[in-house]
Amino acid sequence: MDLAWSADDAAFRDEVVAFLDEKLTPELRQAGRLMTSVYSDHEASMEWQRILHERGWAAPAWPVEHGGCDWSLTQHYIFSRESVLAGAPSLSPMGIRMVAHAIVAFGTPEQKDFFLPRILTGEVFFCQGYSEPEAGSDLASLSMAAVDDGDDLVCTGSKIWTTHATEANWMFCLVRTSKTGKKQEGITFLLIDMNTPGIEIRPLVMSSGEEVQNQVFFDEVRVPKSNVIGTIDDGWTVAKYLLLFERGGGAAAPALQVMAESIAEAAAQQPGPGGRPLLEDPVFAAKLAEARIRTKVLEVLEYRTLSAGVDVGGAASSTMKVLGTELSQRLTEIWLETAGPRGRVYQPHATAPGGPIADFVEPDGGYVSGESWQAVAPLRYLNDRAGSIYAGSNEIQRNILAKAALGL
Ligand SMILES: Cc1cc2nc3c(=O)[nH]c(=O)nc-3n(C[C@H](O)[C@H](O)[C@H](O)COP(=O)(O)OP(=O)(O)OC[C@H]3O[C@@H](n4cnc5c(N)ncnc54)[C@H](O)[C@@H]3O)c2cc1C
């Protein structure tokens, strides 16, 4: 394994850094640095997508003919890494990083022509309708019915935990078109226009107070069969393909490094036991050092995956998912401790959360206790608890690893 960038990769890195320096405004960097979850503020995220699209870098992992970049795996990693280090807002993954790959692999020419350019511009914004109240880890148990009626499928049922359903104008969705055979059979992958009559969205209030996830209800919603991706009853094939992109392909270590560095900087200023800086407290310093060492280990694992030429899927993405989310949870605990008593105050008005908090009225003068990084700490801590649940819970990832890596 060679950990040094080649001359070409170093030149590419310089090009990316120069672009980020020029294009990231202070407002965009603020939105990237003060994320209360893995999602940036929606407006900032869409603005950054527009800027990246202008440069041809909004969807680098797509095939070149659809607007992607002819980059090596290392270049993809460098781009993700430098973007995070520079404080760029995150882009919503559901369109660019998820359903687009399914459309490229299984879509008709008409579907590709319609959706792919509009996903790039942000004109089409997707949410993911996989989970149901009775189907999460055991996704194949899903029951939202889609009844065949001429040129349409008529959908009735409910999807839950749907991130960004209120912002999205399209949903990619798994529906049940047949109840015969194994439960993985009879599932269809469908794209639903969220403005179709019969759809009702109810936001779910998370423990952080944010309303980013939703429950979506469908009452005899008519969807043209031309919106099926792949073939009717064989949606499981498409769904499994897409999950490879949901769980893999990212660079988690750089974001964790940024968080660890910010914590260290803040802890050097915060009073600790005996009035000395918190960073000089041996117990605190040992906790932070352990998390930073684990972050370094994750980074080396990411490099190793890269140098082995492994892209997405399989045991590697399950390993990264478990290590990345558990380490992130640990760092948010240390962040909260660093923020001290002011970090315990719930003050969502002081942040730009991953989604706006409905009905929030800013108090007179917008009083904020402490600094904005302290105000973000409790929201980030609470939202991060979900990291080990979504995108396939960490218990499910460990089951995959037990089979794929340990042969159990
Ligand atoms: C913040 C957030 C955002 C989300 N966004 C979306 C979204 O946009 N679209 C979408 O479709 N879904 C979304 N989800 C749903 C997510 O995919 C599910 O929550 C997840 O798959 C787990 O399903 P569940 O909640 O039904 O829990 P369950 O499947 O009921 O699991 C409950 C517990 O049992 C454990 N468990 C279950 N089966 C096993 C097993 N075989 N072996 C060992 N342990 C097991 C689980 O690990 C978990 O701890 C989101 C969830 C969260 C929290």
Side-chain angles (χ1 to χ4, degrees):
M1 176 172 58
D2 181 3
L3 288 184
W5 301 130
S6 69
D8 283 353
D9 288 336
F12 175 75
R13 181 186 162 279
D14 291 345
E15 187 188 349
V16 171
V17 170
F19 169 80
L20 294 167
D21 273 353
E22 184 196 339
K23 298 291 182 182
L24 276 172
T25 61
E27 292 75 26
L28 289 172
R29 283 181 204 262
Q30 169 91 340
R33 290 239 185 268
L34 292 183
M35 284 159 59
T36 57
S37 70
V38 291
Y39 300 107
S40 295
D41 167 72
H42 182 64
E43 299 303 322
S45 174
M46 297 313 287
E47 170 65 7
W48 184 232
Q49 180 173 325
R50 191 189 58 70
I51 294 168
L52 288 173
H53 180 48
E54 263 175 23
R55 180 70 175 77
W57 288 355
W62 290 13
V64 174
E65 68 267 29
H66 295 302
C69 301
D70 188 16
W71 289 350
S72 64
L73 280 181
T74 307
Q75 287 177 311
H76 282 287
Y77 186 83
I78 289 172
F79 179 69
S80 303
R81 178 184 165 80
E82 296 304 331
S83 299
V84 171
L85 293 178
S90 63
L91 300 194
S92 170
M94 268 72 85
I96 287 175
R97 272 188 42 205
M98 292 166 66
V99 72
H101 292 286
I103 294 173
V104 167
F106 297 95
T108 62
E110 293 74 27
Q111 289 169 334
K112 289 178 195 173
D113 287 348
F114 181 81
F115 285 105
L116 297 177
R118 288 172 176 79
I119 292 173
L120 280 179
T121 59
E123 200 181 327
V124 163
F125 187 82
F126 270 100
C127 60
Q128 177 187 25
Y130 273 23
S131 306
E132 297 183 3
E134 301 301 326
S137 302
D138 184 13
L139 185 58
S141 301
L142 64 95
S143 64
M144 177 163 146
V147 178
D148 194 322
D149 187 26
D151 289 338
D152 297 334
L153 291 171
V154 182
C155 302
T156 301
S158 164
K159 293 290 170 183
I160 196 162
W161 307 119
T162 319
T163 301
H164 291 156
T166 45
E167 277 91 13
N169 50 8
W170 283 85
M171 172 188 275
F172 63 90
C173 193
L174 294 176
V175 292
R176 181 148 304 280
T177 32
S178 166
K179 288 184 181 163
T180 56
K182 287 198 301 182
K183 61 186 177 182
Q184 286 81 3
E185 295 163 6
I187 290 174
T188 297
F189 193 105
L190 194 59
L191 306 183
I192 302 182
D193 181 342
M194 294 293 278
N195 293 313
T196 319
I199 299 179
E200 187 197 343
I201 302 171
R202 286 187 212 155
L204 302 169
V205 185
M206 306 306 278
S207 57
S208 64
E210 292 184 3
E211 297 180 358
V212 180
Q213 280 69 42
N214 305 270
Q215 185 162 7
V216 186
F217 297 88
F218 298 80
D219 183 12
E220 301 199 344
V221 175
R222 271 190 181 273
V223 184
K225 284 180 186 165
S226 55
N227 287 3
V228 170
I229 302 291
T231 51
I232 289 183
D233 290 343
D234 192 27
W236 193 244
T237 307
V238 186
K240 277 195 304 182
Y241 178 78
L242 188 143
L243 279 177
L244 294 177
F245 293 91
E246 180 171 6
R247 287 178 193 154
L256 300 175
Q257 273 168 9
V258 170
M259 209 194 297
E261 294 313 316
S262 316
I263 291 170
E265 274 169 33
Q269 308 298 324
Q270 290 294 101
R276 285 185 308 163
L278 183 59
L279 195 59
E280 289 175 23
D281 173 45
V283 177
F284 177 87
K287 277 189 264 189
L288 185 57
E290 195 227 352
R292 289 168 103 174
I293 291 165
R294 284 169 60 196
T295 307
K296 202 70 199 162
V297 170
L298 181 66
E299 186 187 29
V300 172
L301 280 175
E302 286 178 352
Y303 286 157
R304 195 169 75 174
T305 310
L306 266 185
S307 72
V310 180
D311 192 356
V312 290
S317 69
S318 292
T319 307
M320 302 300 174
K321 202 268 161 168
V322 170
L323 292 179
T325 51
E326 291 181 356
L327 190 45
S328 183
Q329 289 179 341
R330 180 68 185 135
L331 279 167
T332 60
E333 286 164 22
I334 302 174
W335 182 354
L336 197 59
E337 184 181 340
T338 310
R342 287 192 159 132
R344 307 293 192 277
V345 185
Y346 177 63
Q347 41 184 354
H349 59 283
T351 71
I357 294 170
D359 302 323
F360 181 81
V361 181
E362 188 158 337
D364 287 344
Y367 176 73
V368 174
S369 170
E371 295 177 31
S372 47
W373 67 270
Q374 288 171 303
V376 168
L379 301 171
R380 184 66 200 243
Y381 167 82
L382 290 166
N383 282 332
D384 245 57
R385 300 310 99 189
S388 45
I389 301 172
Y390 56 66
S393 76
N394 286 12
E395 287 78 20
I396 295 297
Q397 303 308 321
R398 285 189 162 91
N399 284 350
I400 293 171
L401 283 172
K403 278 192 203 153
L406 305 176
L408 296 174

